[in-house]
Amino acid sequence: MNNHLPQCHALTTLILLLLLHGDGASSSESEVVKIGAIFTLKTINGRVSKIAIQAAERDVNADPRILGGRKLSITVHDSNFSGFLSFIGALKLLVTDTVAIIGPQSSVMAHVLSHLANELHVPLLSFTALDPTLSPLQYPYFVQTAPSDQFQMTAVADMISYYGWREVIAVFSDDDQSRNGITVLGDKLAEKRCKLSYKAALPPDPTASASDVSSELAKIQSMEARVVVVHTFAQTGLLVFDVAHRLGMMRQGYVWIATTWLSTVLDSTSNTSNSLDIRGVLTLRPHTPLSRPKQAFISRWKHISNGSVGLNPYGLYAYDAVWTIAHALKLFFAENGTISFSNNTNFGGMAGLASLSIFDGGNQLLDNILRINTTGLTGPIQFVSSNRSPLHPSYDILNVHATGYRTIGYWSNYSGLSVTTPEKLHRKTSIRSVSNQHLYNVTWPGNTRERPRGWVFPHSGRQLRIGVPNRASYQGIVSQINGTHVVQGYCIDIFLAAIKLLPYPIQYRFILFGEGHKNPSYYDLVNMIASDVFDAAIGDIAIVTDRTKIVDFTQPYIESGLVVVAPVQRLKSSSWAFLRPFTAPMWGVTALFFLLIGAVIWILEHRTNDEFRGPPKTQIVTVLWFSFSTMFFAHRENTVSPLGRVVLIIWLFVVLIINSSYTASLTSILTVQQLSSPITGIDTLITSNKPIGFQVGSFAENYLTQELNIPKHRLVPLGSPEEYATALEKGTVAAVVDERPYVELFLSEHCHFSIRGQEFTKSGWGFAFRRDSPLAIDMSTAILSLSENGELSKIHDKWLSKKACGFRGAQDEQLQFNSFRGLFLICGIACLAALLIYLPSVAYQFSQNSPERERRNHPFGHSSTSRSARIQTFLSFVDEKEDTSRNNSKFKRKLEDISSSRSRSRTRISRLRTMAMPKKLHIHIGTSQQSGPNAGYSGSTDQAIN
């Protein structure tokens, strides 16, 4: 390699000598400021740019205020699609004291010439070399005055995401700019969960041939993706559409998105859409806001171009590039800058390179360019300090139709897709969300308004290979029919119903996975999709994290989650069931607070309320009665103090809550079947160290070991519901962990088991497809439709709906006497105790206040009448209101009245007997009257007669 260095040096020296010989008479004059431009003038952008640059040169020189009387001299060099000629043109410009260069047109040469610019401090300004890898850190003297392909590819990715496409094919020219742009597109698509499924590289302009294009498009025809992005230059791009039309790829179902090259062709040439059948194609165009200077320049264009080519946005950028340099030079001269050059010592003794001088004011001029803040034909001219990108990059989105094109929206780095012009959105707060992204309706290839699906099944004729688990248990979910390859079940019916809702037909065949003697491993089934053994898998496949990393799942068609099943015993109704709503501490605290509130109310009311005064015994009874009567809001004692009322109101609120809670809990206890088991949920199962059963093939095994850290030796594989029941009954396992749909089917036939606790995972069952498969999205939409129209519920009821174990008849819902026996027993004992205490007390009081002599002295001794009177007296005593202060005196007065009445009665009887009987008898009677023992009896009899 070192042998070639002298030859390269000699070649460079020869080139420089020739250049110097050809321009030996040229010298830098202080009145002329030289600027260079490098373009391929056979291209549309080359022709448009040359005209715009020359117009800008005339306009700048026409205003002496810009350069202070100096003249701007712009030399345009034609590179003619040649990198070598571009390099020669740059050297020719640099040896003639050029202070800035507009160009080059291609990014390939921008990478090369930027090294020269860095060495000689000559700024390069390009609006067509938009390679996003032209970093200002590596190439500080290279400035892109138009938005780079970084923004254009972001816009394309946003459009693809907006329309819901997931796979894209890129057709591009195999040069630096196109290749690097497609790399950026792939990154932006990946951010939106889309991908480039194929990259079709074509030879760069102008070497691409029809055979090259046909070969690549033929490959694309056999692929699934139907969204094609064409990122080339005009000549190759038009050739792609011409070949695509001949191959029938411009028909309905395809999506074509062209980058800005197509909009320049449409703007600068006439009848392009008629000569080529490119109707329905979407393309981008750099957005330039409407303004009076822009409209004036558009009006001038036909005159200054002589109608040779139409104006496109890059012509406006070319015009503004000249004015950007002019404004930077104006500031340069205003800061007393001078145009001077010095020898480059870095070239050493290389012969001929000494003629390449360093522009002494290059760094200052570059700084002025980057600090510029003005308005041109393209809008605000200003560079973002972080990456030197133009301010507010944005694009028009065009839809090509038969007679031209129409604008369907805009894209800006500020707000994304919108039907409002970017300059209006810049005045508002940016709220960039999916709901705010809008575009107008599009006419797609095939002259249809229906959005293309963006993919089709390949034309190879191969059917979709759909794996189906060959289960040994729970046949209603999915099963094989009588040893054939025909399958049926809940999952199969859902898949078939969803397939019918797809807007296109698909060909598929079911392939059984597993031997059928035991449940297969669902992890292996999912891995076979990633290994391209199956295209999809349907069945009871749980959507878990590990599986989503290798396949795409549809929307879940049934909710699922792991639950714990354990043996349970029904609790018999207890006579003391009414105590169960509260625990012993709760009962104790409640009773304590009843007493405490009563005491507090007594303290607050004692001095002001007569109802809380009296003897100590009375006050104690009042406090107890008041406290516990608040339980039923039945207290009758009034509270008169403000503090007492506040305390009572708060306490009554607490009592209300306690009563309500007690009532609700007791109702639940008495009306809902109570089940008992030492396993209350997954937590107690983990800490119990007992064996745990799981279904063979389920993800439960991995979850228990990896997520819950349960040792594998505790796990027992079970293959069928019968094995579940046997293991639980014999105590082989303490509980079984399985997904809820399986458990519900199991419990429908085994009612002596129950779910303990809540679901400790949340997931669902879905259909699995290859990563980024568009069919997964369409199937998800179909499943949602089945859910909305009720079809999912019907299929569920057909296969999985069975009688639940928790069902109880009307007789079981009735409350039994045994549940309340304790309450009635307590009430009866209380009543009996109260009577046993009360009746002896009343009898004792009656006996103390009744005169004994009245009971013994009845003159006739009629015992039956005496008992009747005695009973009546006792009942009268019991019926009277007891008043401790006046009861004894009142009773004594009553007895005195009765004694007086008896005395008068005895006197009247004695008189009658005296008149009717002999004297002895009278005396006898009289004597008899005087006898004391009979007086009470006679009086009692007389009193009874009276």
Side-chain angles (χ1 to χ4, degrees), residues 468-472 513-516 518-523 525 696-698:
V468 179
N470 191 7
R471 294 188 56 88
F513 175 73
E515 300 175 356
K518 65 177 182 178
N519 295 334
S521 170
Y522 283 73
Y523 280 101
L525 175 61
V696 175
S698 171

Side-chain angles (χ1 to χ4, degrees), residues 347-492:
F347 291 152
M350 296 180 184
L353 296 181
S355 59
L356 294 175
S357 302
I358 297 175
F359 176 32
D360 297 328
N363 189 45
Q364 183 180 359
L365 180 61
L366 175 64
D367 184 62
N368 291 344
I369 291 173
L370 297 177
R371 289 191 295 115
I372 197 166
N373 187 1
T374 185
T375 302
L377 301 183
T378 58
I381 301 176
Q382 186 179 352
F383 299 97
V384 180
S385 59
S386 60
N387 57 7
R388 293 186 183 179
S389 63
L391 187 67
H392 303 320
S394 55
Y395 295 89
D396 302 335
I397 302 176
L398 311 179
N399 180 208
V400 182
H401 54 76
T403 58
Y405 60 82
R406 66 185 183 93
T407 302
I408 62 170
Y410 307 90
W411 179 92
S412 72
N413 194 42
Y414 179 75
S415 57
L417 301 174
S418 174
V419 294
T420 305
T421 56
E423 53 269 21
K424 292 182 179 179
L425 294 175
H426 292 154
R427 296 191 290 266
K428 302 178 181 179
T429 303
S430 176
I431 305 177
R432 190 166 181 175
S433 63
V434 176
S435 60
N436 289 333
Q437 306 297 291
H438 301 288
L439 292 175
Y440 290 122
N441 291 332
V442 177
T443 301
W444 303 101
N447 198 29
T448 177
R449 290 296 185 93
E450 182 181 356
R451 178 184 66 85
R453 190 170 66 249
W455 67 277
V456 295
F457 291 102
H459 296 297
S460 60
R462 180 174 62 85
Q463 295 177 325
L464 283 179
R465 300 161 299 174
I466 300 178
V468 179
N470 191 7
R471 294 188 56 88
S473 60
Y474 296 110
Q475 299 288 313
I477 294 176
V478 59
S479 61
Q480 182 182 12
I481 299 178
N482 298 328
T484 65
H485 291 286
V486 180
V487 290
Q488 66 177 1
Y490 171 66
C491 302
I492 302 300

